[in-house]
Amino acid sequence: MARVRLSVAERREELLRAAVEQIEARGAAAVRIADVAAALGVSNALVLYHFSTKEQLVAAAFAHAAEGDLGRLRRVLGRRATAERRLRAAVRWYAPTGQAKGWRLWIEAWAAGLRDPELRRVAVTLDREWKAALTSVIEEGVAAGEFSCADPAGAAWRLTAYLDGLAVQTTVYAGGLSRSAMLRWADEALARELGLPAPPGSQSSS
């Protein structure tokens, strides 16, 4: 059966989805243009028509996946609810045991970005967008009197750094922490940063 003819945008989307799957399976360093082409049953030349180098393809695939998660985070933070409820929902979604799909890809990007300036640039830009989105809601909570936080930007950086560290531990060293412990720690970190009461069952509330 002949392949359906796709528009340029549709073909690019298809290639990016395939690249994400191959990067997750093989790693950013090992994946090849040929792997992505073979997964779709197309030629290497077609992939190179849309992405002139493997480095460009990997960076675009990472941006594609990360922007999907970023869009979801913005929807969570944009709900009609208090700043605290939105932040708690965002932290639970973003935490390593939540529904964010990109942790393995982020870790690949961090590692490969040490040697790939284009990938590093994309990762830095997206990371700043994550932090800016959290900072904005923390500032809203401070203005509304929900939080006691003198440095919303610093709190956003510390929260994401903490969750990123947990993600590395649970993704690379699977089986160490339970989901309930992970979420409890995330809630405790949020409470510390925003001057909220410690959640029930935490060490600081006992």
Side-chain angles (χ1 to χ4, degrees), residues 96-97 103-104 107 110 161-177 182 185:
T97 54
W103 278 118
R104 185 175 296 277
I107 292 169
W110 289 332
Y162 182 71
L163 293 172
D164 290 348
L166 289 178
V168 172
Q169 288 291 315
T170 56
T171 303
V172 178
Y173 309 113
L177 284 173
M182 190 80 63
W185 289 5

Coordinates of all heavy atoms in Angstrom, one line a residue, residues 96-97 103-104 107 110 161-177 182 185:
P96 N 9.0 13.1 39.6 CA 9.4 11.9 38.8 C 8.4 10.8 38.8 O 8.4 10.0 37.8 CB 10.7 11.5 39.6 CG 11.2 12.7 40.2 CD 10.0 13.5 40.6
T97 N 7.5 10.7 39.7 CA 6.4 9.7 39.7 C 5.1 10.2 39.1 O 4.1 9.5 39.2 CB 6.2 9.2 41.2 OG1 5.9 10.3 42.0 CG2 7.4 8.4 41.7
W103 N 11.2 12.7 31.4 CA 12.3 12.6 32.3 C 13.5 11.9 31.6 O 14.6 12.4 31.7 CB 11.9 11.9 33.6 CG 11.3 12.9 34.5 CD1 10.0 12.8 35.0 CD2 11.8 14.1 35.1 NE1 9.8 13.8 35.8 CE2 10.8 14.7 35.9 CE3 13.1 14.7 34.9 CZ2 11.0 15.8 36.6 CZ3 13.3 15.9 35.6 CH2 12.3 16.4 36.4
R104 N 13.3 10.8 31.0 CA 14.4 10.1 30.4 C 15.1 10.9 29.3 O 16.3 11.0 29.1 CB 14.0 8.7 29.8 CG 15.1 7.9 29.3 CD 14.6 6.5 28.8 NE 14.1 5.8 30.0 CZ 14.9 5.1 30.8 NH1 16.2 5.0 30.6 NH2 14.4 4.4 31.8
I107 N 17.2 13.8 30.8 CA 18.5 13.3 31.3 C 19.4 13.1 30.1 O 20.6 13.4 30.2 CB 18.2 12.0 32.2 CG1 17.5 12.4 33.4 CG2 19.6 11.4 32.5 CD1 17.0 11.2 34.3
W110 N 20.6 16.5 29.0 CA 21.6 17.1 29.9 C 23.0 16.5 29.6 O 24.0 17.2 29.6 CB 21.2 16.8 31.4 CG 20.1 17.6 31.9 CD1 19.7 18.9 31.4 CD2 19.1 17.2 32.9 NE1 18.6 19.3 32.1 CE2 18.2 18.3 33.0 CE3 19.0 16.1 33.7 CZ2 17.2 18.3 34.0 CZ3 18.0 16.1 34.6 CH2 17.1 17.2 34.8
A161 N 15.2 22.3 40.9 CA 16.5 21.6 41.1 C 16.3 20.3 42.0 O 16.8 19.3 41.8 CB 17.5 22.5 41.8
Y162 N 15.5 20.5 43.0 CA 15.2 19.3 43.9 C 14.5 18.2 43.2 O 14.8 17.1 43.3 CB 14.3 19.8 45.1 CG 14.0 18.8 46.1 CD1 14.9 18.3 47.0 CD2 12.7 18.3 46.3 CE1 14.6 17.4 48.0 CE2 12.4 17.4 47.2 CZ 13.3 16.9 48.1 OH 13.0 16.0 49.0
L163 N 13.4 18.6 42.4 CA 12.7 17.6 41.7 C 13.5 17.0 40.6 O 13.4 15.8 40.3 CB 11.4 18.2 41.1 CG 10.4 18.6 42.1 CD1 9.3 19.4 41.5 CD2 9.8 17.4 42.9
D164 N 14.4 17.8 39.9 CA 15.3 17.2 38.9 C 16.2 16.2 39.5 O 16.5 15.2 38.9 CB 16.1 18.4 38.3 CG 15.3 19.3 37.4 OD1 14.1 19.0 37.1 OD2 15.8 20.4 37.0
G165 N 16.7 16.5 40.7 CA 17.6 15.6 41.4 C 16.9 14.3 41.7 O 17.5 13.2 41.5
L166 N 15.7 14.3 42.2 CA 14.9 13.1 42.4 C 14.7 12.3 41.2 O 14.7 11.1 41.2 CB 13.6 13.5 43.1 CG 13.6 14.0 44.5 CD1 12.2 14.3 45.0 CD2 14.2 13.0 45.5
A167 N 14.4 13.1 40.1 CA 14.2 12.4 38.8 C 15.4 11.6 38.3 O 15.3 10.5 37.8 CB 13.8 13.4 37.7
V168 N 16.6 12.2 38.5 CA 17.8 11.5 38.1 C 17.9 10.2 38.9 O 18.2 9.1 38.4 CB 19.0 12.4 38.3 CG1 20.3 11.6 38.1 CG2 19.0 13.5 37.3
Q169 N 17.7 10.3 40.2 CA 17.9 9.2 41.1 C 16.9 8.1 40.8 O 17.2 6.9 40.7 CB 17.6 9.6 42.6 CG 18.7 10.4 43.2 CD 20.0 9.6 43.4 OE1 20.0 8.5 43.9 NE2 21.1 10.2 43.0
T170 N 15.6 8.4 40.5 CA 14.6 7.4 40.3 C 14.6 6.8 38.9 O 14.3 5.7 38.6 CB 13.2 7.9 40.6 OG1 13.0 9.1 39.8 CG2 13.1 8.3 42.0
T171 N 15.1 7.7 37.9 CA 15.2 7.2 36.5 C 16.4 6.3 36.3 O 16.4 5.3 35.7 CB 15.2 8.4 35.6 OG1 14.0 9.2 35.8 CG2 15.2 7.9 34.1
V172 N 17.6 6.8 36.9 CA 18.8 6.0 36.7 C 18.9 4.9 37.6 O 19.4 3.8 37.2 CB 20.0 7.0 36.8 CG1 21.3 6.3 36.7 CG2 19.9 8.1 35.8
Y173 N 18.5 5.1 38.9 CA 18.6 4.0 39.9 C 17.2 3.6 40.3 O 16.7 4.0 41.3 CB 19.4 4.5 41.1 CG 20.7 5.2 40.7 CD1 20.9 6.5 40.9 CD2 21.7 4.4 40.2 CE1 22.1 7.1 40.6 CE2 22.9 5.0 39.9 CZ 23.1 6.3 40.1 OH 24.3 6.9 39.7
A174 N 16.5 2.9 39.5 CA 15.1 2.5 39.7 C 14.9 1.7 40.9 O 15.8 0.9 41.3 CB 14.6 1.7 38.5
G175 N 13.8 1.8 41.6 CA 13.4 0.9 42.7 C 13.9 1.4 44.1 O 13.7 0.7 45.1
G176 N 14.4 2.7 44.2 CA 14.9 3.1 45.4 C 13.8 3.7 46.3 O 13.8 3.5 47.5
L177 N 12.9 4.5 45.8 CA 11.9 5.3 46.6 C 10.5 4.9 46.1 O 10.3 4.7 44.9 CB 12.1 6.8 46.4 CG 13.3 7.4 47.2 CD1 13.4 8.9 46.8 CD2 13.1 7.3 48.7
M182 N 8.1 9.9 47.5 CA 8.5 10.9 46.6 C 7.5 12.1 46.7 O 7.9 13.2 46.7 CB 8.5 10.3 45.2 CG 9.1 11.2 44.2 SD 10.9 11.2 44.2 CE 11.2 9.5 43.7
W185 N 7.9 14.1 50.0 CA 9.1 14.9 49.9 C 8.8 16.2 49.1 O 9.2 17.3 49.4 CB 10.3 14.1 49.4 CG 10.8 13.1 50.3 CD1 10.3 12.7 51.5 CD2 12.0 12.3 50.1 NE1 11.0 11.7 52.1 CE2 12.1 11.4 51.3 CE3 12.9 12.2 49.1 CZ2 13.1 10.5 51.4 CZ3 13.9 11.3 49.3 CH2 14.0 10.5 50.4

